Amino acid sequence: MSSVLNITHSITGQSWKWRSGDVDARDPGFQPDDLVTQLLLARGVPRDDIERHRNPTIRGFMPDPSIFRDMDCAAERLADAVEAREAVTIYGDYDVDGATSAALLIRLLRDLGLDAGHYIPDRLMEGYGPSGEALVRIGDSGSRLIVTVDCGAMAFDALAQAKAAGLEVIVVDHHKCAADLPSAFALVNPNRLDENDEAASHGHLAAVGVAFLLAAAIVRILRGRGYFVNRAEPRLMELLDIVALGTVADVAQLRGLNRAFVAQGLKVMAGRRNIGLAALIEASRLNRAPVCSDLGFALGPRINAGGRVGKSDLGVRLLTTEDREEARAIAAELDRLNEERRSIEAHVQEEAEAMLAGQHNRSVALLAGQGWHPGVIGIVAGRIKEKTGKPSIIIAIDADGVGKGSGRSIAGVDLGAAIISAREAGLLVAGGGHSMAAGLTISANKVDALADWLDERLAADVTRASANSAMLIDALLTPRGLNPAFIEAMEGAGPYGMGWPGPRIVAGPVRVIKCDIVGKDHVRAIVAGDDGASFKAMAFRQGETALGQMLLHGERGQKYWLAGRAKVDDWGPTPKAELHIDDIAFAD
């Protein structure tokens, strides 16, 4: 990758590189279609596959569900349950992926004539994943067939207990698996170590994506049995709004099938057919059709708030209700709980950052605190990761000396595999995850040992990942070129998210005209270029960093290049372009 503007050491110490090739939007021959093609190529799309990725459809990316191990077994069993009207319970995780996965299967089975129950464990009282006690209780209540979603891949003891009680458990998951698998009737997971290459290539799916493939398999089997001769076949495409929400909120990589799920799911969501989602959109104060970022920053956190600081099943209830008044009440409660979550999160983050200041020479930022709320540790881990550029784990230790931890990783460092190995090494009571996120349970007296073990195991990976990092740039613009039309053109290569990064542009050269602090620690600036154009720029949570201080107190008249994400500010009567700053470099 060639250098952008010969910048090898920015204010954050990074070099600026073209993501792929040299792009300059000031070229007279530069057209929006050229831009979209370039953005797709820069994200690894082969030139002969551009059109399929330009408009990602389910038909264009959907695999045959039967390529996955145990898929047909699981689908046949659930088809039998539908025809026999058996009692079925969906056991979901308490996060958005779990809630959407459970809701998708409940809605599907309802459309097929079977009212399935649900069980979502309490985060504080029961913790992550299925427990044997809960599974047996479900069986005793009359449901002998249970489907776990977004959990179960590592639930050896729980599934053994369920099997001993005569229960049939189907596991639908996406988390990393060990070489040995728990005893389940069927275990559908593209991240099984014994999967074939084609199935394993879908390992980036969220659990809700795997659940959608299972739904397609069930409908196909029932179609083959003549089940729809006298009844309407479910319209699976109408479930894509739920799939999109779970995929984005779980920070799954938006490539291949996931991009199609989100692109098409947003279209379904705009129609507000799902009563619960429509109420949540209203409670989130969105007065337009949701875009991809809304799923991760507005809708997802509110669903998550139920599992973090409220009632764990609120999300599933919201996404499956057919009662508008109930939907509005649940959405309002989730909105209130989200505000409570923010307050709790701020407290934990403040204490974690104070600890971080005294931690040096660690490859993994591991921070543990007595009495921290386990419902917010994942969010705080993500914040610490962004602050340090390192994998980060936050552990909440309770009064009994048991720690619940949540970790977030950086590209190139497989945290989920490391946590599974730490469990196998006897450092953890439980643990698992995927490459970018992991969860664990640990005795407080082993926290230091875990920190040392992770440092030794991941130091080389972190060093290598950090050495290979650079600020990747997609386009270079004059200030006047940063406008809503250009930003809209860039959206032609979306939707963007994890694994399919939103375009980062460089704008300049510019001078800072006005700058101040807004909120707690956000820097807001008005900058102007030599071409007479000006625009607003925001640097979030940067008030005390070198970048923020440069904007606030740098020499007036100094010219800069600004690197960041271009956004449209549509709050006023006329949409305007603004830049969310990631980095700064001197222009002369």
Side-chain angles (χ1 to χ4, degrees):
M1 293 181 289
S2 58
S3 174
V4 176
L5 299 168
N6 296 317
I7 293 169
T8 58
H9 195 82
S10 67
I11 192 67
T12 64
Q14 299 186 80
S15 61
W16 291 2
K17 302 286 188 182
W18 291 114
R19 197 180 303 274
S20 178
D22 292 353
V23 184
D24 188 344
R26 296 173 296 184
D27 187 325
F30 198 83
Q31 298 295 325
D33 285 345
D34 295 333
L35 174 62
V36 171
T37 299
Q38 181 62 44
L39 292 172
L40 293 173
L41 290 171
R43 282 148 186 78
V45 177
R47 187 169 291 278
D48 61 1
D49 203 17
I50 289 292
E51 292 310 311
R52 185 169 71 116
H53 286 78
R54 190 186 299 274
N55 179 29
T57 64
I58 304 302
R59 181 183 296 275
F61 287 93
M62 181 89 165
D64 182 343
S66 295
I67 67 172
F68 299 93
R69 290 187 181 275
D70 282 3
M71 178 68 82
D72 289 341
C73 176
E76 291 277 2
R77 181 66 188 87
L78 284 165
D80 291 344
V82 167
E83 291 188 312
R85 296 295 186 266
E86 292 183 50
V88 177
T89 297
I90 311 300
Y91 190 119
D93 187 26
Y94 38 65
D95 70 358
V96 184
D97 195 15
T100 52
S101 300
L104 184 146
L105 291 180
I106 290 169
R107 294 183 74 91
L108 171 76
L109 293 173
R110 181 193 297 163
D111 286 346
L112 293 171
L114 178 64
D115 285 327
H118 69 265
Y119 186 96
I120 309 295
D122 182 273
R123 180 190 291 264
L124 298 181
M125 302 302 296
E126 298 176 86
Y128 170 77
S131 70
E133 294 80 5
L135 293 174
V136 170
R137 284 199 307 272
I138 293 170
D140 289 343
S141 69
S143 183
R144 310 300 290 177
L145 177 59
I146 302 170
V147 184
T148 72
V149 289
D150 196 31
C151 59
M154 298 290 289
F156 292 91
D157 293 342
L159 294 186
Q161 193 172 338
K163 184 175 183 180
L167 306 179
E168 293 175 306
V169 180
I170 295 171
V171 174
V172 180
D173 205 352
H174 70 132
H175 293 99
K176 286 188 175 292
C177 296
D180 295 326
L181 297 174
S183 180
F185 180 86
L187 196 156
V188 184
N189 185 338
N191 287 306
R192 286 176 55 153
L193 297 182
D194 60 348
E195 271 295 9
N196 61 70
D197 290 344
E198 184 180 3
S201 70
H202 291 85
H204 60 290
L205 292 178
V208 71
V210 183
F212 182 84
L213 294 176
L214 175 59
I218 295 168
V219 170
R220 181 171 64 183
I221 287 169
L222 288 172
R223 185 188 305 125
R225 295 180 183 181
Y227 187 76
F228 302 116
V229 172
N230 296 312
R231 67 179 303 134
E233 186 171 316
R235 302 177 65 176
L236 292 178
M237 296 302 107
E238 292 188 358
L239 297 173
L240 288 176
D241 50 2
I242 296 177
V243 180
L245 175 58
T247 297
V248 173
D250 206 53
V251 202
Q253 294 191 33
L254 294 194
R255 54 187 175 85
L257 181 57
N258 278 348
R259 267 189 81 230
F261 280 152
V262 175
Q264 301 306 319
L266 285 169
K267 295 176 183 178
V268 176
M269 195 177 295
R272 304 198 180 192
R273 297 184 181 95
N274 185 299
I275 290 171
L277 263 180
L280 190 66
I281 292 168
E282 182 179 346
S284 302
R285 293 165 285 283
L286 293 174
N287 53 13
R288 50 168 170 72
V291 296
C292 189
S293 59
D294 295 326
L295 308 189
F297 294 105
L299 305 183
R302 286 171 168 80
I303 295 283
N304 257 335
R308 293 187 189 281
V309 297
K311 296 179 180 178
S312 57
D313 70 342
L314 285 175
V316 175
R317 288 170 50 200
L318 177 73
L319 296 174
T320 57
T321 186
E322 298 295 339
D323 185 316
R324 294 185 185 279
E325 289 305 313
E326 181 185 30
R328 291 191 185 97
I330 295 174
E333 175 68 358
L334 287 172
D335 188 52
R336 184 191 68 78
L337 289 171
N338 192 49
E339 290 301 316
E340 182 180 337
R341 184 270 306 169
R342 287 178 177 174
S343 176
I344 296 170
E345 173 196 329
H347 172 72
V348 174
Q349 183 172 341
E350 183 178 351
E351 292 194 356
E353 290 189 355
M355 289 183 184
L356 182 67
Q359 187 180 96
H360 303 288
N361 302 320
R362 286 287 194 186
S363 297
V364 177
L366 190 150
L367 306 164
Q370 192 79 32
W372 286 352
H373 196 299
V376 301
I377 54 178
I379 302 173
V380 176
R383 300 271 195 218
I384 298 298
K385 181 202 75 170
E386 294 299 324
K387 187 180 185 72
T388 62
K390 301 175 181 180
S392 300
I393 298 173
I394 303 297
I395 299 175
I397 300 174
D398 65 19
D400 296 323
V402 177
K404 299 289 187 181
S406 185
R408 299 293 182 267
S409 196
I410 60 176
V413 180
D414 191 335
L415 187 60
I419 292 302
I420 290 174
S421 295
R423 179 185 61 79
E424 294 171 344
L427 290 167
L428 303 175
V429 175
H434 47 81
S435 60
M436 299 299 288
L440 59 90
T441 303
I442 187 172
S443 297
N445 59 8
K446 290 189 176 181
V447 169
D448 290 340
L450 175 64
D452 292 339
W453 188 91
L454 287 171
D455 262 2
E456 182 176 349
R457 178 184 173 94
L458 296 178
D461 291 343
V462 173
T463 299
R464 184 164 45 250
S466 300
N468 292 335
S469 69
M471 186 69 66
L472 300 182
I473 306 300
D474 289 286
L476 174 63
L477 301 172
T478 62
R480 191 171 299 281
L482 182 60
N483 56 60
F486 182 82
I487 297 170
E488 182 179 353
M490 289 195 298
E491 290 303 312
Y496 301 104
M498 176 61 67
W500 196 266
R504 181 181 288 115
I505 65 104
V506 170
V510 296
R511 301 180 310 278
V512 177
I513 303 302
K514 179 182 178 182
C515 192
D516 58 2
I517 293 284
V518 294
K520 182 179 179 181
D521 196 32
H522 309 314
V523 180
R524 174 179 60 190
I526 303 298
V527 300
D530 293 338
D531 60 359
S534 62
F535 60 86
K536 182 174 77 173
M538 294 291 302
F540 295 100
R541 295 183 294 276
Q542 296 288 336
E544 298 181 3
T545 67
L547 187 155
Q549 291 297 302
M550 179 70 72
L551 289 170
L552 289 163
H553 306 299
E555 180 181 345
R556 288 300 178 250
Q558 172 65 54
K559 294 182 180 179
Y560 303 103
W561 294 105
L562 306 182
R565 315 285 185 174
K567 305 291 182 181
V568 174
D569 179 358
D570 54 7
W571 286 103
T574 304
K576 296 181 179 179
E578 66 180 36
L579 188 68
H580 295 180
I581 301 174
D582 294 324
D583 205 355
I584 299 176
F586 291 108
D588 51 29

